[in-house]
Amino acid sequence: MEIAQTSSLNPAVPSDVQRWLVEKIAHRLKVSEAQIDMEKYLDEFGLDSTEALVLSGELEKWTGTELESTAIWYYPTISTLSQYVAERVTQAAS
Amino acid sequence: MSVHARVPQAPPPGLRRTPVLQPLRAAVPSGAVEVGHVYLIHPGALPSSAYTSGLVQEFEPSVGVSVLDLASLPDYWGALDGHRPARLEDLVEQLWSELRTHQEAQPCRFTLVGWSFGGVIGFELSRRARSLSGFRGLVLLDSVAPIRKYKQRDDALDRKMLMRWFVMYLSARRGKVIPERLPFGPRADDELLAHVLKHAVASGALAEDTPIEGMHKLHQAFLAGLLRNNQLSGAYRPAPLDIPAVLIKARRSLVPLGRHMGWKELLRPAPLRVSCPGDHYTLLTNRTASRTVAEAARDMWREPKKAAPAEALGGTLREANRLP
């Protein structure tokens, strides 16, 4: 799946945030999306803290919501991070 | 960017926690005697694995090496961005609990080693650790003493200086050399970051498609950690200590400071000083620095802990890399 298709995703929907993250991480690691386990800790993907922070910056731009540096530490899996980000986007909009 | 996300007040339940005290090598075999132990007080910024490829290799198998990782303390993380202020002494108490438990289980001679802000933590931890019979001394790695003269408010820190530190950090973090020279004259952070990104990509430190937003986040996180440590040090009012200590300075430290980086005011006797190649961040992986730390620890274990450094630490360190 092309990264360009993430423009159709809704950052207020957890499953869409998950999809965005899976695509980005698969692209960064040069693996297929099927290999990305959403319950795995981000550092277990071989994504070091530098790469995780770069990803966090891209996520902020996409969602329009600033994420604290601690967010990735407190929500270190795609599954939990997606839920958190979607909640924040929803709260910001309401 | 439209809205600031709420900072979680506490880690979510079930979050995997990295142990605060992490052995960096296999335990000494059962029946064998551990001749000494080195506790590395790590303040984050660089991964603690930096010690594994460097410092750990300089010790024989009968020496235990562990990391006391500040980054494993929720209070240390929570203090980022100033949302959950912490006290340095409270962080030290948590490390002290780990250290004391470890020593009670397997008492032996030990040395504390603290890099950067970890040295400040190590100093306060030494205040408690000296109550243990195994405590032999403190090694400071390019650490600035938390004395009034060297304390600065966050808003007094020079932005370009911070940007140069960021470049130095990123270079060491990624194992590449990114030129530290920045565009001349006053520049906005955005422009400086775009400049750094260009050179970071050119050096291979960052991927070609790294967006500027990613660079912003890296820089923001770096500053958040630095300012947190600045605030923790700023509020700390240390009393002097009488312990053996060695100060290892990087030849390219972050700022030019006095010969003892302020530690002469807090340590009695004054620490023995050694200069090592590299900068503040590459010091952790520099072979000369690693050997020097190992030699300092061995010297401390050989001599009575209450001896003055000139006698306690032997001739090896004084002959090598003598500072003016």
Side-chain angles (χ1 to χ4, degrees):
Chain A
M1 182 168 295
E2 298 294 331
I3 298 291
Q5 294 186 9
T6 57
S7 60
S8 62
L9 301 175
N10 183 348
V13 175
S15 58
D16 278 8
V17 179
Q18 269 184 16
R19 199 167 135 197
W20 187 95
L21 283 168
V22 166
E23 285 178 359
K24 286 286 184 182
I25 292 171
H27 172 74
R28 183 68 65 196
L29 298 177
K30 296 180 174 47
V31 299
S32 71
E33 291 176 27
Q35 292 176 262
I36 304 296
D37 181 347
M38 288 186 287
E39 303 304 326
K40 210 171 172 179
Y41 278 62
L42 289 174
D43 58 8
E44 290 173 334
F45 285 122
L47 214 64
D48 71 11
S49 61
T50 305
E51 289 153 336
L53 283 166
V54 168
L55 183 67
S56 181
E58 295 182 70
L59 185 56
E60 283 188 353
K61 186 184 180 191
W62 177 57
T63 61
T65 302
E66 186 170 348
L67 296 175
E68 300 286 357
S69 305
T70 44
I72 289 182
W73 192 78
Y74 282 143
Y75 302 99
T77 67
I78 293 174
S79 174
T80 53
L81 184 60
S82 304
Q83 192 67 44
Y84 173 70
V85 168
E87 281 172 10
R88 296 311 308 141
V89 171
T90 302
Q91 284 182 5
S94 62
Chain B
M1 297 300 114
S2 59
V3 176
H4 283 255
R6 172 183 58 87
V7 174
Q9 293 306 304
L15 181 68
R16 179 196 68 183
R17 297 267 302 273
T18 310
V20 174
L21 192 151
Q22 304 162 40
L24 290 187
R25 59 174 13 168
V28 172
S30 169
V33 174
E34 194 175 76
V35 302
H37 206 99
V38 174
Y39 296 97
L40 305 164
I41 301 140
H42 191 58
L46 297 177
S48 56
S49 56
Y51 300 109
T52 310
S53 56
L55 181 61
V56 173
Q57 307 305 321
E58 299 299 331
F59 287 103
E60 51 273 38
S62 56
V63 171
V65 185
S66 300
V67 163
L68 284 166
D69 197 350
L70 279 163
S72 296
L73 299 177
D75 288 346
Y76 191 60
W77 273 92
L80 281 176
D81 301 318
H83 289 285
R84 281 176 57 203
R87 284 178 67 243
L88 186 144
E89 293 88 340
D90 294 336
L91 297 174
V92 169
E93 278 300 320
Q94 294 176 56
L95 297 188
W96 169 231
S97 172
E98 298 282 337
L99 173 62
R100 191 177 58 230
T101 302
H102 193 253
Q103 275 290 309
E104 283 169 359
Q106 39 185 137
C108 64
R109 294 171 294 188
F110 68 93
T111 299
L112 300 181
V113 178
W115 168 66
S116 191
F117 179 67
V120 178
I121 296 287
F123 171 77
E124 186 59 29
L125 185 56
S126 295
R127 196 183 305 281
R128 294 150 180 78
R130 61 187 175 157
S131 67
L132 297 174
S133 60
F135 177 69
R136 288 294 181 270
L138 172 67
V139 176
L140 299 156
L141 281 170
D142 211 46
S143 178
V144 178
I147 58 172
R148 185 190 296 242
K149 181 176 158 184
Y150 292 147
K151 289 184 182 179
Q152 287 194 61
R153 290 192 330 270
D154 290 351
D155 58 6
L157 295 169
D158 179 75
R159 280 176 41 256
K160 258 191 165 175
M161 175 188 74
L162 294 177
M163 190 62 71
R164 276 192 288 273
W165 292 0
F166 173 61
V167 173
M168 207 186 278
Y169 154 76
L170 196 57
S171 290
R173 186 73 179 81
R174 304 299 283 174
K176 303 285 183 187
V177 177
I178 307 170
E180 288 171 37
R181 187 172 298 139
L182 298 174
F184 183 73
R187 307 277 173 151
D189 275 357
D190 284 358
E191 190 179 344
L192 292 175
L193 282 174
H195 170 92
V196 173
L197 175 59
K198 183 176 95 174
H199 288 281
V201 168
S203 72
L206 292 175
E208 270 185 35
D209 60 352
T210 302
I212 190 63
E213 297 81 27
M215 196 65 178
H216 273 283
K217 200 65 188 171
L218 276 174
H219 182 243
Q220 182 189 61
F222 171 78
L223 283 185
L226 203 145
L227 294 179
R228 170 202 51 207
N229 295 351
N230 193 49
Q231 287 155 19
L232 284 168
S233 289
Y236 173 48
R237 298 287 179 266
L241 273 178
D242 293 358
I243 57 171
V246 172
L247 169 64
I248 299 172
K249 286 180 74 167
R251 292 206 181 125
R252 289 186 60 238
S253 194
L254 293 180
V255 285
L257 294 175
R259 297 157 74 196
H260 288 92
M261 300 180 83
W263 289 105
K264 204 172 176 181
E265 282 190 32
L266 296 177
L267 286 165
R268 284 191 291 260
L272 190 69
R273 295 170 299 124
V274 183
S275 168
C276 282
D279 65 33
H280 180 73
Y281 294 100
T282 59
L283 197 65
L284 279 196
T285 50
N286 177 273
R287 187 100 194 260
T288 305
S290 297
R291 282 182 180 158
T292 307
V293 171
E295 195 55 46
R298 287 192 202 96
D299 272 356
M300 287 176 177
W301 297 338
R302 277 197 284 267
E303 302 295 329
K305 68 175 177 174
K306 291 193 186 306
E311 293 81 36
L313 300 175
T316 311
L317 298 176
R318 284 179 286 124
E319 293 308 317
N321 298 306
R322 181 183 289 275
L323 283 174

